[in-house]
Amino acid sequence: EVQLVQSGAEVKKPGESLKISCKGSGYSFTSYWIGWVRQMPGKGLEWMGIIYPGDSDTRYSPSFQGQVTISADKSISTAYLQWSSLKASDTAMYYCARLPSAMANFDYWGQGTLVTVSS
Amino acid sequence: QSALTQPRSVSGSPGQSVTISCTGTSSDVGGYNYVSWYQQHPGKAPKLMIYDVSKRPSGVPDRFSGSKSGNTASLTISGLQAEDEADYYCCSYAGSYTFRVFGGGTKLTVL
């Protein structure tokens, strides 16, 4: 069974750094892309970027380029999304999801990680 | 990058059919057959319902169907059931720079 299990909810202060994770299981982690999707409170889905764990090829949405860093550790089948300096506007639910190819759909989703940034 | 345009809300009675539209441009919806649709119930993760414009993943009822004409994709749900009440999002590949874009989402109410 394909599963993506994300790390738990986080509460941070503005300016702090953060790295959240997404662990894949039940499939060949290095053969599929992993993407990250933001959902701000009461809002829609926004694509942030994708990574191919096999070779760490990474593509970012122009809206998120330079704002976050996506990485992966294939030895532990885990992808990451990180911020170096959080802002209050980063408060959102973040989902990871698997993609069969860089152009394709998100076929399996993680349960989401709620990030709250507040002073 | 502008989101794909979806109606804010649609509604229908049990047993009826509803169609949700998703309008983009020739750079996304009209240019590629990589349109997908996701269902999201409150407090839950999205779920893939349609991919590659009209294909259904295993386990998705055949009441759900997808199509595309020009720059507009559509999701049709026939034989509406109470459990279909949810938010629905379309998504399209948008080329090697933007890569992909989501619609703003449509809230489906089953009356």
Side-chain angles (χ1 to χ4, degrees):
Chain A
E1 178 195 8
V2 174
Q3 282 195 310
L4 295 172
V5 179
Q6 298 184 229
S7 49
E10 301 275 1
V11 179
K12 291 289 191 179
K13 291 182 172 13
E16 292 186 331
S17 62
L18 176 64
K19 192 174 190 178
I20 62 175
S21 66
C22 169
K23 183 173 176 61
S25 63
Y27 72 100
S28 174
F29 187 72
T30 55
S31 299
Y32 290 80
W33 293 74
I34 291 283
W36 288 94
V37 175
R38 182 176 79 175
Q39 187 167 38
M40 299 176 77
K43 301 298 185 183
L45 305 175
E46 301 173 90
W47 170 70
M48 302 177 72
I50 57 174
I51 187 167
Y52 189 72
D55 61 7
S56 292
D57 185 6
T58 308
R59 318 290 173 88
Y60 291 94
S61 162
S63 300
F64 291 92
Q65 178 83 48
Q67 308 304 308
V68 296
T69 300
I70 294 171
S71 60
D73 184 340
K74 61 186 179 183
S75 70
I76 55 172
S77 300
T78 301
Y80 301 97
L81 177 65
Q82 69 180 81
W83 296 260
S84 59
S85 181
L86 286 160
K87 302 184 282 287
S89 57
D90 293 317
T91 294
M93 181 71 81
Y94 293 89
Y95 294 101
C96 67
R98 191 185 80 162
L99 301 89
S101 77
M103 295 183 290
N105 49 276
F106 300 98
D107 59 359
Y108 287 90
W109 293 68
Q111 83 276 19
T113 295
L114 180 62
V115 174
T116 303
V117 184
S118 174
S119 54
Chain B
Q1 178 65 29
S2 300
L4 304 176
T5 300
Q6 297 182 233
R8 185 73 65 96
S9 64
V10 297
S11 62
S13 299
Q16 288 187 330
S17 294
V18 295
T19 295
I20 300 172
S21 61
C22 170
T23 301
T25 69
S26 58
S27 297
D28 38 64
V29 173
Y32 308 95
N33 288 322
Y34 289 110
V35 177
S36 50
W37 289 89
Y38 303 88
Q39 176 192 65
Q40 187 179 34
H41 288 108
K44 300 294 187 183
K47 175 186 175 184
L48 177 65
M49 305 302 285
I50 294 289
Y51 69 100
D52 294 354
V53 175
S54 60
K55 298 177 183 175
R56 267 180 295 105
S58 172
V60 172
D62 59 7
R63 303 183 295 103
F64 291 83
S65 63
S67 63
K68 188 183 85 167
S69 177
N71 296 336
T72 298
S74 299
L75 172 71
T76 298
I77 310 169
S78 58
L80 268 179
Q81 299 181 3
E83 60 261 36
D84 298 334
E85 185 163 294
D87 293 325
Y88 290 84
Y89 295 90
C90 62
C91 182
S92 174
Y93 179 68
S96 59
Y97 175 67
T98 305
F99 254 83
R100 59 181 30 79
V101 62
F102 278 100
T106 298
K107 181 176 180 58
L108 168 62
T109 301
V110 180
L111 303 170

